[in-house]
Amino acid sequence: GAGRPGRARARARARAWMEESADEVAERARGLLLGSRLRELVRAWLAEDVPSFDYGGAVVGDRAGVAALKMKSAGVVAGKPFVEAVFAEVGCRVEWEPGVEEGVEVRAGLPRVIAHVRGPMRCILVGERVALNALARCAGVATRARALTATVRRAGWKGRVAGTRKTTPGFRLVEKYATLVGGADSHRMDLSSMVMLKDNHIAAAGGDVRSAVARARALCGFALRIEVECGSQAEAAAAVAAGADIVMLDNFEPAEFRRVAQAVRAAAPHVTIEGSGGLSEDTIGQYACPEADVLSLSIAQGCTALDFSLKVVS
């Protein structure tokens, strides 16, 4: 169509943004967190951990104390805002060691003191486990995101690795934030962030892709993009013809994925192509072809939490 070259140029501009921002996003991710939302999360975590009485805290009392926060396993530092919010809620403050920035990768000199927490002793201890849980999980997800991104960069691929919404219930904000700090894309945050028509949606809507996309467009308007999950080249062609903005090639073997991605790109230069299903640290490099814009997987599921500890020093 006459508008296709313009759409192709728009896609090229978007692709350039993806390439340029991957290494910079960790620096800006912290600005995404709203203070009121952080406090809401932290209060829920503390209420879960202290639903009634803090017996151990009563034994310790309110004398002023200091505890050292130690990083014990190698990886990416991620989760500082959550640690600070937890201890602020219980009346303590966190003082980070120089150089301990969000997104920095620590490999040597472990275990290492990365911060000190100051405040009433019982308050330090009541916040300890909640803060460590958030920090360990956040850093673990960020470390995996960093490793996955490094794998495809070594292969020369310029697209984006993205973490799907297969996240821990109640912990999505932490894990999506960690994905960004690790240098990957957060994909859609929730069902309201983007329209994704999966195979079950198409089947439940009568099996007609064109009709399903038309209904979605009538509801979401111009502000949201529409993605269609496709399990074959024919389904991908139908999604493009229906007006999908993003075509997800799902559960393809690497060679077949590359072949179909090439065909879709040749037919529709303006469409974003995403690969998903079956991707892991061992296989993601095989999907990193020039035609692919996004490779998505469950970054938060199955990742190993990093090891941190908090020890009273005075």
Side-chain angles (χ1 to χ4, degrees):
R4 184 165 292 183
R7 286 184 291 179
R9 287 193 293 272
R11 176 187 170 272
R13 288 194 296 271
R15 186 64 177 267
W17 176 86
M18 289 192 291
E19 294 171 11
E20 292 169 1
S21 64
D23 295 332
E24 301 169 354
V25 70
E27 300 175 13
R28 300 195 297 269
R30 184 170 183 142
L32 295 171
L33 295 169
L34 192 63
S36 59
R37 180 66 180 123
L38 274 176
R39 289 190 293 274
E40 181 184 357
L41 271 177
V42 163
R43 286 168 183 167
W45 295 340
L46 288 167
E48 177 185 56
D49 208 34
V50 193
S52 56
F53 300 125
D54 175 21
Y55 297 103
V59 172
V60 171
D62 286 326
R63 73 172 182 84
V66 181
L69 175 59
K70 292 185 178 181
M71 185 173 187
K72 301 168 70 176
S73 56
V76 174
V77 175
K80 289 175 58 178
F82 303 103
V83 173
E84 292 166 5
V86 168
F87 283 114
E89 184 65 23
V90 295
C92 302
R93 70 180 188 277
V94 182
E95 299 172 352
W96 299 96
E97 292 296 300
V100 182
E101 303 297 336
E102 196 78 332
V104 70
E105 193 161 358
V106 179
R107 293 288 173 189
L110 299 169
R112 175 188 299 186
V113 174
I114 61 171
H116 287 88
V117 182
R118 300 179 184 276
M121 188 57 69
R122 71 175 182 86
C123 297
I124 292 175
L125 297 182
V126 80
E128 174 186 5
R129 179 44 50 199
V130 172
L132 290 177
N133 284 352
L135 181 61
R137 183 69 180 158
C138 194
V141 173
T143 299
R144 189 180 186 209
R146 181 72 55 84
L148 286 162
T149 301
T151 296
V152 294
R153 291 291 175 263
R154 286 193 295 269
W157 188 61
K158 303 297 185 182
R160 297 301 301 271
V161 175
T164 68
R165 56 181 251 279
K166 292 181 181 178
T167 55
T168 307
F171 228 58
R172 179 172 295 175
L173 186 70
V174 176
E175 292 171 356
K176 288 288 193 176
Y177 169 83
T179 299
L180 290 171
V181 172
D185 195 292
S186 65
H187 209 277
R188 60 174 179 164
M189 286 292 292
D190 47 52
L191 293 176
S192 302
S193 300
M194 180 175 69
V195 182
M196 183 184 290
L197 299 176
K198 300 175 74 68
D199 55 354
N200 283 333
H201 292 93
I202 302 299
D208 181 49
V209 174
R210 186 181 294 273
S211 174
V213 171
R215 288 187 220 171
R217 181 60 70 197
L219 291 168
C220 73
F222 71 91
L224 294 179
R225 302 180 82 194
I226 297 175
E227 178 167 16
V228 177
E229 179 185 275
C230 304
S232 68
Q233 184 172 345
E235 291 180 1
V240 170
D245 302 297
I246 307 166
V247 170
M248 176 197 285
L249 303 180
D250 190 44
N251 286 313
F252 282 69
E253 292 296 320
E256 182 69 358
F257 171 80
R258 293 193 298 269
R259 185 189 69 78
V260 175
Q262 289 171 1
V264 173
R265 176 63 65 236
H270 61 287
V271 168
T272 298
I273 298 174
E274 176 180 345
S276 192
L279 278 67
S280 68
E281 285 85 343
D282 295 330
T283 64
I284 193 169
Q286 300 173 49
Y287 291 84
C289 62
E291 292 77 19
D293 299 297
V294 179
L295 295 175
S296 64
L297 70 163
S298 313
I299 294 177
Q301 284 192 347
C303 76
T304 302
L306 266 58
D307 190 11
F308 296 87
S309 68
L310 190 71
K311 295 298 181 183
V312 172
V313 294
S314 67

